[in-house]
Short mmCIF file of all heavy atoms in Angstrom, two decimals:
data_model
loop_
_atom_site.label_atom_id
_atom_site.label_comp_id
_atom_site.label_asym_id
_atom_site.label_seq_id
_atom_site.Cartn_x
_atom_site.Cartn_y
_atom_site.Cartn_z
N LYS A 23 -42.46 -47.08 42.72
CA LYS A 23 -42.62 -46.96 44.10
C LYS A 23 -44.02 -46.35 44.48
O LYS A 23 -44.62 -46.84 45.44
CB LYS A 23 -41.46 -45.95 44.62
CG LYS A 23 -41.56 -45.69 46.17
CD LYS A 23 -41.38 -46.96 46.94
CE LYS A 23 -41.43 -46.72 48.45
NZ LYS A 23 -41.60 -47.94 49.34
N LEU A 24 -44.47 -45.38 43.82
CA LEU A 24 -45.80 -44.78 44.06
C LEU A 24 -46.81 -45.86 43.79
O LEU A 24 -47.83 -45.96 44.56
CB LEU A 24 -46.06 -43.57 43.25
CG LEU A 24 -45.18 -42.27 43.57
CD1 LEU A 24 -45.48 -41.17 42.51
CD2 LEU A 24 -45.50 -41.79 44.96
N ALA A 25 -46.65 -46.63 42.79
CA ALA A 25 -47.62 -47.71 42.49
C ALA A 25 -47.62 -48.71 43.62
O ALA A 25 -48.66 -49.14 44.12
CB ALA A 25 -47.27 -48.43 41.16
N SER A 26 -46.48 -49.09 44.11
CA SER A 26 -46.41 -50.07 45.21
C SER A 26 -47.00 -49.45 46.55
O SER A 26 -47.43 -50.21 47.42
CB SER A 26 -45.05 -50.57 45.46
OG SER A 26 -44.19 -49.53 46.02
N ASP A 27 -47.01 -48.13 46.66
CA ASP A 27 -47.53 -47.49 47.81
C ASP A 27 -49.01 -47.10 47.69
O ASP A 27 -49.49 -46.33 48.53
CB ASP A 27 -46.78 -46.19 48.09
CG ASP A 27 -45.35 -46.51 48.65
OD1 ASP A 27 -45.07 -47.73 48.98
OD2 ASP A 27 -44.58 -45.54 48.88
N GLY A 28 -49.66 -47.49 46.62
CA GLY A 28 -51.09 -47.39 46.54
C GLY A 28 -51.60 -46.37 45.56
O GLY A 28 -52.83 -46.08 45.56
N PHE A 29 -50.73 -45.69 44.80
CA PHE A 29 -51.15 -44.72 43.80
C PHE A 29 -51.45 -45.42 42.45
O PHE A 29 -50.80 -46.38 42.13
CB PHE A 29 -50.01 -43.73 43.63
CG PHE A 29 -49.91 -42.73 44.70
CD1 PHE A 29 -49.24 -43.02 45.92
CD2 PHE A 29 -50.41 -41.46 44.53
CE1 PHE A 29 -49.11 -42.14 46.82
CE2 PHE A 29 -50.24 -40.47 45.52
CZ PHE A 29 -49.54 -40.80 46.67
N ASP A 30 -52.41 -44.94 41.73
CA ASP A 30 -52.45 -45.06 40.33
C ASP A 30 -51.59 -44.05 39.66
O ASP A 30 -51.43 -42.92 40.16
CB ASP A 30 -53.90 -44.92 39.74
CG ASP A 30 -54.74 -46.11 40.09
OD1 ASP A 30 -54.15 -47.32 40.30
OD2 ASP A 30 -55.97 -45.97 40.19
N VAL A 31 -50.96 -44.38 38.52
CA VAL A 31 -49.90 -43.46 37.96
C VAL A 31 -50.05 -43.15 36.57
O VAL A 31 -50.20 -44.05 35.71
CB VAL A 31 -48.51 -44.11 38.17
CG1 VAL A 31 -47.43 -43.18 37.77
CG2 VAL A 31 -48.34 -44.57 39.66
N ALA A 32 -50.06 -41.90 36.18
CA ALA A 32 -50.00 -41.45 34.86
C ALA A 32 -48.50 -41.10 34.56
O ALA A 32 -47.92 -40.27 35.26
CB ALA A 32 -50.89 -40.19 34.68
N VAL A 33 -47.97 -41.71 33.56
CA VAL A 33 -46.50 -41.61 33.25
C VAL A 33 -46.42 -40.82 31.99
O VAL A 33 -47.10 -41.12 30.90
CB VAL A 33 -45.87 -42.96 33.07
CG1 VAL A 33 -44.46 -42.80 32.72
CG2 VAL A 33 -45.99 -43.75 34.36
N ASN A 34 -45.63 -39.78 32.01
CA ASN A 34 -45.39 -38.90 30.84
C ASN A 34 -43.96 -39.20 30.28
O ASN A 34 -42.94 -39.35 30.99
CB ASN A 34 -45.52 -37.45 31.17
CG ASN A 34 -44.75 -36.51 30.27
OD1 ASN A 34 -43.70 -36.06 30.61
ND2 ASN A 34 -45.30 -36.35 29.03
N GLY A 35 -43.94 -39.20 28.96
CA GLY A 35 -42.61 -39.38 28.27
C GLY A 35 -42.73 -38.95 26.78
O GLY A 35 -43.89 -38.60 26.34
N ARG A 36 -41.66 -39.02 26.08
CA ARG A 36 -41.69 -38.59 24.69
C ARG A 36 -41.63 -39.76 23.73
O ARG A 36 -41.84 -39.54 22.50
CB ARG A 36 -40.51 -37.57 24.43
CG ARG A 36 -40.67 -36.33 25.18
CD ARG A 36 -39.65 -35.29 24.73
NE ARG A 36 -38.28 -35.67 25.09
CZ ARG A 36 -37.22 -34.92 24.87
NH1 ARG A 36 -37.32 -33.75 24.27
NH2 ARG A 36 -36.01 -35.37 25.25
N ARG A 37 -41.26 -40.94 24.15
CA ARG A 37 -41.08 -42.00 23.27
C ARG A 37 -42.44 -42.67 22.85
O ARG A 37 -43.48 -42.53 23.63
CB ARG A 37 -40.23 -43.16 23.92
CG ARG A 37 -38.75 -42.71 24.11
CD ARG A 37 -37.97 -43.87 24.72
NE ARG A 37 -38.26 -44.05 26.12
CZ ARG A 37 -37.91 -45.12 26.81
NH1 ARG A 37 -37.21 -46.13 26.22
NH2 ARG A 37 -38.18 -45.15 28.05
N PRO A 38 -42.58 -43.35 21.80
CA PRO A 38 -43.78 -44.07 21.38
C PRO A 38 -44.14 -45.10 22.58
O PRO A 38 -43.29 -45.74 23.12
CB PRO A 38 -43.42 -44.76 20.08
CG PRO A 38 -42.35 -44.03 19.54
CD PRO A 38 -41.48 -43.54 20.67
N GLU A 39 -45.46 -45.31 22.71
CA GLU A 39 -45.83 -46.11 23.84
C GLU A 39 -45.37 -47.63 23.59
O GLU A 39 -45.03 -48.31 24.53
CB GLU A 39 -47.42 -46.24 23.96
CG GLU A 39 -47.94 -47.03 25.05
CD GLU A 39 -49.39 -46.78 25.36
OE1 GLU A 39 -50.02 -45.89 24.68
OE2 GLU A 39 -49.93 -47.44 26.32
N ALA A 40 -45.27 -48.00 22.30
CA ALA A 40 -44.74 -49.37 22.03
C ALA A 40 -43.32 -49.59 22.53
O ALA A 40 -42.85 -50.71 22.77
CB ALA A 40 -44.78 -49.67 20.54
N ASP A 41 -42.63 -48.49 22.76
CA ASP A 41 -41.16 -48.60 23.18
C ASP A 41 -41.14 -48.65 24.69
O ASP A 41 -40.03 -48.95 25.27
CB ASP A 41 -40.37 -47.42 22.75
CG ASP A 41 -40.20 -47.44 21.14
OD1 ASP A 41 -40.48 -48.47 20.52
OD2 ASP A 41 -39.66 -46.39 20.67
N ILE A 42 -42.17 -48.46 25.45
CA ILE A 42 -42.08 -48.38 26.91
C ILE A 42 -43.06 -49.37 27.51
O ILE A 42 -43.43 -49.21 28.74
CB ILE A 42 -42.30 -46.91 27.37
CG1 ILE A 42 -43.56 -46.29 26.93
CG2 ILE A 42 -41.11 -46.09 27.01
CD1 ILE A 42 -44.66 -46.40 27.81
N THR A 43 -43.47 -50.41 26.85
CA THR A 43 -44.39 -51.41 27.29
C THR A 43 -43.90 -52.04 28.62
O THR A 43 -44.65 -52.26 29.55
CB THR A 43 -44.60 -52.47 26.27
OG1 THR A 43 -45.20 -51.89 25.06
CG2 THR A 43 -45.60 -53.52 26.72
N ASP A 44 -42.59 -52.43 28.60
CA ASP A 44 -42.04 -53.06 29.80
C ASP A 44 -42.14 -52.15 31.07
O ASP A 44 -42.43 -52.55 32.13
CB ASP A 44 -40.64 -53.47 29.56
CG ASP A 44 -40.43 -54.59 28.59
OD1 ASP A 44 -41.49 -55.32 28.26
OD2 ASP A 44 -39.37 -54.90 28.12
N SER A 45 -41.83 -50.85 30.83
CA SER A 45 -41.98 -49.88 31.89
C SER A 45 -43.37 -49.83 32.45
O SER A 45 -43.53 -49.88 33.75
CB SER A 45 -41.49 -48.48 31.45
OG SER A 45 -40.18 -48.55 31.05
N LEU A 46 -44.32 -49.70 31.60
CA LEU A 46 -45.77 -49.73 32.04
C LEU A 46 -46.10 -50.97 32.79
O LEU A 46 -46.80 -50.89 33.84
CB LEU A 46 -46.66 -49.48 30.83
CG LEU A 46 -46.54 -48.09 30.16
CD1 LEU A 46 -47.54 -48.06 28.99
CD2 LEU A 46 -46.93 -46.99 31.13
N GLU A 47 -45.68 -52.09 32.29
CA GLU A 47 -46.01 -53.37 32.92
C GLU A 47 -45.37 -53.41 34.33
O GLU A 47 -45.94 -54.06 35.24
CB GLU A 47 -45.59 -54.51 32.04
CG GLU A 47 -46.49 -54.73 30.84
CD GLU A 47 -47.97 -54.80 31.17
OE1 GLU A 47 -48.29 -55.58 32.11
OE2 GLU A 47 -48.77 -54.16 30.49
N SER A 48 -44.18 -52.98 34.47
CA SER A 48 -43.52 -52.95 35.76
C SER A 48 -44.26 -52.10 36.77
O SER A 48 -44.28 -52.45 37.95
CB SER A 48 -42.06 -52.46 35.60
OG SER A 48 -41.98 -51.03 35.38
N ILE A 49 -44.98 -51.06 36.33
CA ILE A 49 -45.79 -50.25 37.18
C ILE A 49 -47.00 -51.03 37.57
O ILE A 49 -47.40 -51.06 38.77
CB ILE A 49 -46.15 -48.90 36.56
CG1 ILE A 49 -44.78 -48.11 36.36
CG2 ILE A 49 -47.06 -48.05 37.43
CD1 ILE A 49 -44.93 -46.90 35.45
N ARG A 50 -47.66 -51.57 36.63
CA ARG A 50 -48.94 -52.39 36.87
C ARG A 50 -48.66 -53.59 37.66
O ARG A 50 -49.62 -53.97 38.43
CB ARG A 50 -49.51 -52.77 35.46
CG ARG A 50 -50.02 -51.55 34.68
CD ARG A 50 -50.41 -51.89 33.27
NE ARG A 50 -50.94 -50.71 32.49
CZ ARG A 50 -50.62 -50.52 31.26
NH1 ARG A 50 -49.83 -51.37 30.58
NH2 ARG A 50 -51.06 -49.42 30.70
N ALA A 51 -47.51 -54.15 37.63
CA ALA A 51 -47.13 -55.27 38.44
C ALA A 51 -47.28 -54.97 39.94
O ALA A 51 -47.33 -55.91 40.81
CB ALA A 51 -45.77 -55.81 38.10
N ASN A 52 -47.17 -53.70 40.32
CA ASN A 52 -47.33 -53.27 41.68
C ASN A 52 -48.71 -53.00 42.09
O ASN A 52 -49.05 -52.48 43.15
CB ASN A 52 -46.44 -51.98 41.93
CG ASN A 52 -44.94 -52.29 41.89
OD1 ASN A 52 -44.47 -52.87 42.83
ND2 ASN A 52 -44.30 -51.90 40.89
N GLY A 53 -49.64 -53.41 41.22
CA GLY A 53 -51.10 -53.31 41.57
C GLY A 53 -51.77 -52.00 41.12
O GLY A 53 -52.98 -51.89 41.53
N ALA A 54 -51.12 -51.16 40.30
CA ALA A 54 -51.65 -49.88 39.93
C ALA A 54 -52.22 -49.96 38.55
O ALA A 54 -51.91 -50.71 37.73
CB ALA A 54 -50.55 -48.78 40.05
N ARG A 55 -53.09 -49.02 38.33
CA ARG A 55 -53.42 -48.70 36.96
C ARG A 55 -52.48 -47.68 36.45
O ARG A 55 -52.02 -46.76 37.18
CB ARG A 55 -54.88 -48.08 36.88
CG ARG A 55 -56.00 -49.00 37.10
CD ARG A 55 -57.27 -48.43 36.59
NE ARG A 55 -57.74 -47.31 37.39
CZ ARG A 55 -58.76 -46.55 37.00
NH1 ARG A 55 -59.32 -46.76 35.88
NH2 ARG A 55 -59.17 -45.61 37.81
N ALA A 56 -51.86 -47.97 35.24
CA ALA A 56 -50.88 -47.04 34.73
C ALA A 56 -51.37 -46.56 33.32
O ALA A 56 -51.78 -47.31 32.48
CB ALA A 56 -49.57 -47.82 34.54
N LEU A 57 -51.27 -45.25 33.16
CA LEU A 57 -51.64 -44.60 31.95
C LEU A 57 -50.45 -43.92 31.30
O LEU A 57 -49.65 -43.17 32.02
CB LEU A 57 -52.73 -43.56 32.19
CG LEU A 57 -53.16 -42.63 31.15
CD1 LEU A 57 -53.95 -43.41 30.02
CD2 LEU A 57 -54.07 -41.52 31.69
N TYR A 58 -50.22 -44.06 30.05
CA TYR A 58 -49.06 -43.40 29.34
C TYR A 58 -49.59 -42.14 28.69
O TYR A 58 -50.54 -42.15 27.91
CB TYR A 58 -48.39 -44.37 28.42
CG TYR A 58 -47.16 -43.61 27.76
CD1 TYR A 58 -46.09 -43.11 28.49
CD2 TYR A 58 -47.04 -43.53 26.30
CE1 TYR A 58 -45.12 -42.58 27.91
CE2 TYR A 58 -45.94 -42.94 25.77
CZ TYR A 58 -44.95 -42.46 26.56
OH TYR A 58 -43.85 -41.82 26.04
N LEU A 59 -48.85 -41.02 28.92
CA LEU A 59 -49.20 -39.72 28.24
C LEU A 59 -48.02 -39.30 27.48
O LEU A 59 -47.03 -38.68 28.03
CB LEU A 59 -49.55 -38.67 29.32
CG LEU A 59 -50.71 -39.01 30.36
CD1 LEU A 59 -50.79 -38.04 31.51
CD2 LEU A 59 -51.99 -39.16 29.65
N ARG A 60 -48.05 -39.50 26.23
CA ARG A 60 -46.88 -39.13 25.38
C ARG A 60 -46.93 -37.65 25.04
O ARG A 60 -47.88 -37.18 24.42
CB ARG A 60 -46.84 -39.99 24.09
CG ARG A 60 -45.58 -39.67 23.23
CD ARG A 60 -45.62 -40.44 21.93
NE ARG A 60 -44.35 -40.21 21.23
CZ ARG A 60 -44.18 -40.56 19.88
NH1 ARG A 60 -45.16 -41.24 19.23
NH2 ARG A 60 -42.98 -40.26 19.35
N ALA A 61 -45.98 -36.86 25.54
CA ALA A 61 -45.96 -35.41 25.30
C ALA A 61 -44.65 -34.94 25.80
O ALA A 61 -43.91 -35.49 26.52
CB ALA A 61 -47.10 -34.77 26.15
#
Side-chain angles (χ1 to χ4, degrees):
K23 177 61 176 167
L24 290 175
S26 70
D27 286 357
F29 285 77
D30 286 335
V31 185
V33 176
N34 156 256
R36 294 188 295 180
R37 291 181 289 167
E39 185 167 356
D41 292 349
I42 52 96
T43 301
D44 290 345
S45 296
L46 292 176
E47 288 306 314
S48 73
I49 297 167
R50 293 172 180 138
N52 288 289
R55 288 197 291 168
L57 172 69
Y58 182 55
L59 304 171
R60 187 183 182 190

